[in-house]
Every structure is written in structure tokens, then in C-alpha cells.
Amino acid sequence: MSETERTIRGLSIAVTILAALSLVATLVLGGLMGLMAVSAMSDDYTYSSDSIYSGRIDIDDLGLSPSELKELRALGIDIDEFGGIEVSRGAAYDFAIVMFVLAGIISFLCMIAGAFSLVAGILGITRWNRPEKIQAVFIWAIVAAVFSLFVGRLISLVLLIILAVEAYKYRRDYMYATMNDPMQGWTA
């Protein structure tokens, strides 16, 4: 086994393990972010049965003194004739929706990056000693590296770039070695 073959095999194992851990972590964290967003959307402070964007707080429920009521009026908070304050709840609800959407997008991109890394790693494990088939490892490692860059998986990015470089060198050396027999490097 050459040094390049050992490097490709070792990097492929590392990439596969990191990709599997990344996929599990993405599922867990994406689920937690989604649960937090759903919890925020269903909270009594962000949702009322009358209207999503408005609600009413009874002054009696707050237990405010007359001087505190004067301070509220001085701040420009209107108290209606029934002793209530109208409260806008749209911002909290909108924030919860934005968090829910962001959790979905981030989880989806991380899952894609993890899946591409997993494919590159598995291909590297199965083809580390077959230079005529190593080009697939090179291509998948480049694609996975691009997605890893987008989602900020820096350790995977570095490992995938090194894997792609080693796969390229391995394929190049094999092709130069078989230049006397050009059909040897081609497989169906």
C-alpha cells in the first residue's frame, strides 16, 4: 500500500465519521430549533384566540397603583374605557416564524453538506486502492467541500480539500504510469 493510498483511506474514514456525526447533530439541533420556534409561536404572549396580531391586557391583572397608571399614560400608552391596554403581538409572532424558517434552511443546507461528505467518504473508503475509479472521489470531495464552505464546516472543508488533492494526484500518477497502454486507464 502506497503512502497516497493510506492517506486517501485515512482521510475517507475521517470524512465519513465527521459526516455521520454532522448529520446526527444537524437532526438534533434542527429539531430543537424547530421546537423552540413552535413553542414561541404557541406562547400566550405571541398568540391570542381573538387575533394573531393583537391582544388585550387587563389593568386589574397587572395590579398597578394609580401613580403607575399615570406614568403609563404619560408614556403614551392608551388605556381603554374598560381598563385594558391593547398590545401588539405581531413582532414576537413574526420573529418565531423567521426562526422556524431559518432553522429549516440551515438544517437543510447542513444535511446536504453532510450527505455529500458522507458519499465522498464512502467512495474513498471503497475505492482507495482502485486508481481507475478514484475520479468519483475527487468530484464528490470537491462538491462536498463547496457545500461545507457554505455552511461553515471548516474541519470537513480542510479534510475534503486534502482528499480531493490526494485523489487527483493518485489518478494523475496512475494515468502517467499507463501512458504506454492508453486503454488500461479506461474502464466501462
Side-chain angles (χ1 to χ4, degrees):
M1 176 185 323
S2 72
E3 182 69 29
T4 303
E5 290 174 339
R6 273 196 301 266
T7 303
I8 290 173
R9 189 180 74 183
L11 285 171
S12 298
I13 291 169
V15 165
T16 302
I17 291 170
L18 280 177
L21 290 174
S22 169
L23 287 171
V24 169
T26 299
L27 287 173
V28 170
L29 291 176
L32 288 176
M33 286 175 67
L35 285 175
M36 287 185 341
V38 168
S39 172
M41 287 190 313
S42 66
D43 194 2
D44 289 338
Y45 295 110
T46 60
Y47 182 79
S48 73
S49 60
D50 299 333
S51 170
I52 291 174
Y53 290 98
S54 66
R56 188 173 174 282
I57 297 176
D58 232 359
I59 294 295
D60 297 334
D61 292 342
L62 296 176
L64 299 174
S65 68
S67 64
E68 291 171 330
L69 288 174
K70 285 181 186 177
E71 289 178 20
L72 286 178
R73 286 191 179 105
L75 292 172
I77 297 175
D78 292 329
I79 300 173
D80 63 15
E81 65 271 5
F82 302 109
I85 300 173
E86 288 294 319
V87 178
S88 173
R89 296 182 177 141
Y93 187 77
D94 291 343
F95 178 74
I97 289 176
V98 168
M99 286 302 295
F100 190 68
V101 169
L102 281 177
I105 291 171
I106 291 169
S107 295
F108 179 73
L109 290 176
C110 288
M111 292 292 286
I112 296 288
F116 284 155
S117 296
L118 189 64
V119 170
I122 290 172
L123 285 175
I125 290 171
T126 60
R127 297 178 179 193
W128 63 270
N129 61 350
R130 297 169 51 195
E132 69 278 359
K133 302 276 186 179
I134 202 75
Q135 188 171 4
V137 175
F138 171 74
I139 293 168
W140 280 97
I142 293 296
V143 171
V146 168
F147 274 93
S148 292
L149 176 67
F150 286 143
V151 297
R153 295 175 51 207
L154 300 179
I155 294 172
S156 293
L157 174 67
V158 170
L159 290 176
L160 288 162
I161 289 173
I162 295 170
L163 179 61
V165 168
E166 291 296 322
Y168 175 78
K169 288 191 322 189
Y170 189 45
R171 172 79 174 170
R172 183 196 61 199
D173 293 346
Y174 173 74
M175 293 304 287
Y176 284 146
T178 61
M179 283 180 69
N180 293 335
D181 186 11
M183 296 307 288
Q184 184 179 357
W186 295 90
T187 59

